[in-house]
């Protein structure tokens, strides 16, 4: 089923994902949201500290990109939960393709209703590197209005991956407790859950994620939390120091973020999905 419900995406498919993010979450040129979460497992024999994470539990990492409608687009499953010095994102297959510009995004295009040309990208939190094809928030406190607004708008788009993980755990409650099996078997369980999640989103969405089950935004841009949050806690996030940022962001990436920040400040639009 993975070839049907978790296929390799074409340039046209990425463009469709971007259109959905703008229509539903008011963030242009965004093809997906990325995050990493811990899936708790029992302590494997003779594993040492490989799987021992910062929460003092043993885990494997589920790294994923989702679309605007909470479908998984790409996943990397099985990185050591205790591998705090490793480059989880940079060493994943889709991370390598993205960082090298080979994930298949469409060429740069004008932002909606403007003549400003920017590349397509995914959004992530502060754990991920700033690149021309990865947008992350402005760091620090006491930010300027333009930066605060950008961080809010990016957060709204980025919460799609938090919702995707939340729906998954709420519906597949085997993930709420430690998986008492070998790490390889736990990886297979998570892979199956990811594919079945996409299957049910496509063929039984009204039952799987009924209205009100996921987050929405109201007419003034505030987040309205979904019902899934009352049913389960989100999976533990991979902390920022667990994901290699690689080299410093290029000047071009900073310029792209600044241009995008000005565009979203000048183009507010709310009440999209609530």
């Amino acid at each position: 089923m993975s070839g049907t419900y978790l296929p390799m995406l074409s340039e046209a498919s990425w463009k469709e994902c971007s259109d959905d993010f703008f229509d539903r979450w008011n963030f242009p040129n965004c093809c997906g949201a990325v995050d990493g979460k811990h899936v708790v497992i029992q302590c494997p024999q003779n594993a040492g500290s490989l799987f021992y994470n910062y929460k003092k539990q043993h885990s494997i990492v589920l790294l994923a990109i989702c679309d605007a409608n909470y479908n998984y687009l790409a996943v990397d499953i099985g990185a050591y939960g205790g591998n705090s010095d490793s480059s989880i994102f940079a060493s994943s297959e889709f991370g390598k393709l993205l960082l090298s510009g080979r994930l298949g995004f469409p060429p740069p295009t004008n932002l909606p209703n403007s003549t400003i040309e920017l590349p397509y990208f995914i959004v992530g939190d502060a754990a991920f590197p700033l690149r021309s094809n990865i947008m992350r928030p402005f760091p620090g406190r006491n930010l300027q209005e333009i930066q605060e607004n950008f961080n809010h708008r990016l957060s709204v788009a980025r919460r799609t991956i938090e919702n995707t993980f939340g729906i998954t755990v709420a519906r597949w409650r085997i993930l709420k407790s430690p998986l008492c099996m070998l790490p390889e078997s736990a990886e297979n369980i998570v892979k199956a859950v990811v594919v079945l999640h996409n299957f049910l989103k496509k063929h039984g969405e009204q039952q799987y994620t009924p209205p009100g089950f996921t987050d929405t935004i109201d007419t003034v841009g505030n987040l309205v939390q979904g019902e899934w949050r009352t049913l389960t806690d989100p999976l533990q996030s991979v902390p920022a120091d667990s994901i290699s940022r690689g080299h410093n962001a290029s000047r071009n990436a900073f310029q792209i973020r600044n241009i995008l920040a000005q565009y979203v400040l000048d183009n507010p639009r709310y009440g999209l999905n609530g």
Side-chain angles (χ1 to χ4, degrees), residues 33-39 62-66 70 72 74-75 159-172 175 190 194 197 228 232-237:
V34 65
D35 200 3
K37 297 291 185 179
H38 288 281
V39 177
L62 166 59
L63 188 69
I65 299 175
C66 76
Y70 314 125
Y72 289 101
V75 296
R159 282 178 179 269
T160 53
I161 188 62
E162 182 180 330
N163 274 258
T164 303
F165 288 137
I167 295 164
T168 303
V169 178
R171 293 310 194 201
W172 304 92
L175 300 180
V190 177
V194 164
H197 168 93
W228 71 263
T232 186
D233 294 325
L235 295 173
Q236 301 163 11
S237 293

Side-chain angles (χ1 to χ4, degrees), residues 4-7 9 14 16-17 20-21 24-25 31-34 64-75 160-161 163-165 167-168 193-205 208-209 214:
T4 301
Y5 297 101
L6 197 65
L9 296 185
W14 285 117
E16 184 177 344
C17 290
D20 286 343
F21 262 99
R24 187 166 187 186
W25 301 110
C31 292
V34 65
I65 299 175
C66 76
D67 66 14
N69 300 301
Y70 314 125
N71 297 293
Y72 289 101
L73 297 177
V75 296
T160 53
I161 188 62
N163 274 258
T164 303
F165 288 137
I167 295 164
T168 303
V193 164
V194 164
V195 173
L196 290 171
H197 168 93
N198 282 4
F199 171 82
L200 289 171
K201 284 286 278 92
K202 182 173 182 177
H203 297 291
E205 185 169 15
Y208 190 62
T209 54
T214 56

Side-chain angles (χ1 to χ4, degrees), residues 18-194:
S18 174
D19 292 342
D20 286 343
F21 262 99
F22 182 66
D23 291 340
R24 187 166 187 186
W25 301 110
N26 198 18
F27 212 70
N29 285 34
C30 176
C31 292
V34 65
D35 200 3
K37 297 291 185 179
H38 288 281
V39 177
V40 180
I41 63 173
Q42 70 177 359
C43 178
Q45 291 185 351
N46 304 316
S49 61
L50 287 176
F51 296 91
Y52 195 63
N53 66 37
Y54 74 109
K55 287 286 190 178
K56 304 187 185 302
Q57 297 172 314
H58 294 83
S59 64
I60 58 174
V61 174
L62 166 59
L63 188 69
I65 299 175
C66 76
D67 66 14
N69 300 301
Y70 314 125
N71 297 293
Y72 289 101
L73 297 177
V75 296
D76 184 89
I77 303 166
Y80 298 134
N83 207 358
S84 60
D85 293 327
S86 73
S87 51
I88 297 174
F89 175 67
S91 63
S92 68
E93 287 303 314
F94 65 75
K96 292 176 183 177
L97 292 173
L98 181 68
L99 292 172
S100 62
R102 295 182 293 119
L103 200 57
F105 286 174
T109 189
N110 289 347
L111 296 174
N113 303 313
S114 83
T115 58
I116 302 169
E117 184 179 271
L118 287 185
Y120 288 88
F121 52 82
I122 63 172
V123 293
D125 62 18
F128 292 90
L130 178 65
R131 296 286 188 272
S132 62
N133 55 10
I134 308 174
M135 288 291 107
R136 52 173 282 178
F138 286 99
R141 299 179 180 179
N142 301 317
L143 299 176
Q144 300 174 10
E145 178 189 2
I146 185 175
Q147 297 171 326
E148 291 278 9
N149 180 72
F150 175 84
N151 285 359
H152 169 72
R153 293 277 287 274
L154 183 144
S155 176
V156 168
R158 186 188 58 77
R159 282 178 179 269
T160 53
I161 188 62
E162 182 180 330
N163 274 258
T164 303
F165 288 137
I167 295 164
T168 303
V169 178
R171 293 310 194 201
W172 304 92
R173 298 193 176 188
I174 188 173
L175 300 180
K176 292 186 69 174
S177 303
L179 299 179
C180 298
M181 57 190 71
L182 294 172
E184 294 80 6
S185 299
E187 289 180 33
N188 288 333
I189 290 289
V190 177
K191 290 176 184 176
V193 164
V194 164

